[in-house]
Amino acid sequence: KRPKRDMTLIIFESSCGVIVGIIVGVIPLFTYLWRNYFIFYYYLWSPVSYPGDSKKNPLTRLGSWPDRESAQDPSWKLLTAEDSHLYTNEKWGGKFSLTGEPSGRQIWVYEPSFSDAEVHTKESLIFNPSKNPNASDNLMRNQMISKWKGKRPNLNEKPKSSLDAARKGVEYFQMLQSDDGHWSGDYGGPMFLMPGLIIAMYVTKSEIENEKKEAMKLYIKNHQQNDGGWGTHIECAS
């Protein structure tokens, strides 16, 4: 005769079997659902970088700038991709030769001989923050458009449909596209970038060229508001 087994032991063994079965069967299922479905709702409900709730006393006032005009210096020339690498290597005499892929790189160089009436009109160089605190990349846009040899959109013609508007937009932005495929731009919105650059130049004992100093002073002056302060970015109240 087979000895009788303790009922407690039988229940324990059965429970262990059920638990192992659940682990083996449920974990892969849960992993599949998490990767394909649940994770979307997890990040939707709890963002990775939660900015916090709305401020109790939000800033309601708008920026205010003096009604004054200043002229942008047309001697600044935009160089992109391979042209920017060639200029840098020639300037430093090969001491700090650049390596790697030049695509997407852009620099501004100061060339007094570059002041060309065919590139910039007098009106396009005038900046008035009271009318628009954003300079709209006028120097870059004028240079890129002046080099464009293809079809140009008719700025005086109003699109008759959404498709015509899309085509006109494509025709315009292809004039601004660099030869390597990227679109250059002036990342000059935040007003807290220049202090970091000046600190880095000071720590590394790097000289800031006079024309860059003048451009920095003009930039700061242009965006100073009526109350004497500056916003976090160029369109923000001080």
Side-chain angles (χ1 to χ4, degrees):
K1 292 183 179 180
R2 299 177 61 183
K4 294 183 178 181
R5 302 182 64 190
D6 186 12
M7 184 59 66
T8 304
L9 180 61
I10 294 175
I11 295 175
F12 175 75
E13 292 176 347
S14 300
S15 301
C16 291
V18 172
I19 293 174
V20 172
I22 292 176
I23 294 175
V24 172
V26 173
I27 288 182
L29 177 61
F30 180 78
T31 302
Y32 171 80
L33 294 175
W34 173 263
R35 291 178 176 177
N36 292 276
Y37 300 99
F38 295 155
I39 194 170
F40 169 76
Y41 295 102
Y42 171 78
Y43 287 122
L44 182 64
W45 293 330
S46 301
V48 177
S49 179
Y50 182 59
D53 297 325
S54 58
K55 294 183 178 181
K56 295 181 180 180
N57 299 308
L59 182 66
T60 57
R61 59 188 174 86
L62 301 176
S64 176
W65 294 266
D67 186 4
R68 64 183 177 212
E69 294 183 346
S70 63
Q72 302 179 73
D73 192 340
S75 299
W76 288 100
K77 183 177 182 181
L78 175 68
L79 298 179
T80 63
E82 190 64 35
D83 291 338
S84 68
H85 265 205
L86 292 174
Y87 177 88
T88 300
N89 288 334
E90 290 177 1
K91 180 178 180 180
W92 294 102
K95 183 178 180 180
F96 301 103
S97 180
L98 295 175
T99 61
E101 174 60 52
S103 295
R105 185 173 187 257
Q106 61 183 63
I107 62 174
W108 288 88
V109 299
Y110 190 79
E111 293 186 5
S113 60
F114 184 66
S115 301
D116 192 342
E118 295 182 0
V119 175
H120 304 289
T121 62
K122 183 178 180 180
E123 293 75 15
S124 68
L125 296 174
I126 298 300
F127 175 73
N128 188 332
S130 66
K131 295 181 179 179
N132 184 0
N134 194 323
S136 303
D137 292 339
N138 281 338
L139 293 180
M140 180 274 292
R141 292 173 186 261
N142 293 343
Q143 292 179 36
M144 299 302 291
I145 292 175
S146 68
K147 296 188 298 183
W148 178 251
K149 304 300 182 184
K151 180 182 177 181
R152 300 192 178 197
N154 187 347
L155 301 180
N156 299 319
E157 181 180 352
K158 185 177 181 180
K160 299 179 181 179
S161 66
S162 57
L163 182 58
D164 290 340
R167 286 172 176 167
K168 187 174 183 179
V170 171
E171 290 176 354
Y172 176 76
F173 279 102
Q174 71 178 351
M175 296 192 297
L176 305 182
Q177 189 175 20
S178 300
D179 293 337
D180 64 337
H182 87 281
W183 280 268
S184 305
D186 173 22
Y187 185 53
M191 294 297 295
F192 50 79
L193 296 179
M194 188 183 298
L197 172 63
I198 295 176
I199 292 171
M201 299 290 282
Y202 176 80
V203 171
T204 58
K205 297 183 176 153
S206 301
E207 181 182 358
I208 301 178
E209 298 166 343
N210 289 330
E211 56 269 15
K212 292 182 179 179
K213 291 180 182 178
E214 293 301 319
M216 287 178 174
K217 290 190 290 185
L218 179 62
Y219 180 79
I220 293 174
K221 181 180 179 181
N222 281 342
H223 294 289
Q224 187 175 25
Q225 301 187 25
N226 286 323
D227 61 2
W230 292 266
T232 306
H233 58 83
I234 59 176
E235 298 177 353
C236 176
S238 64

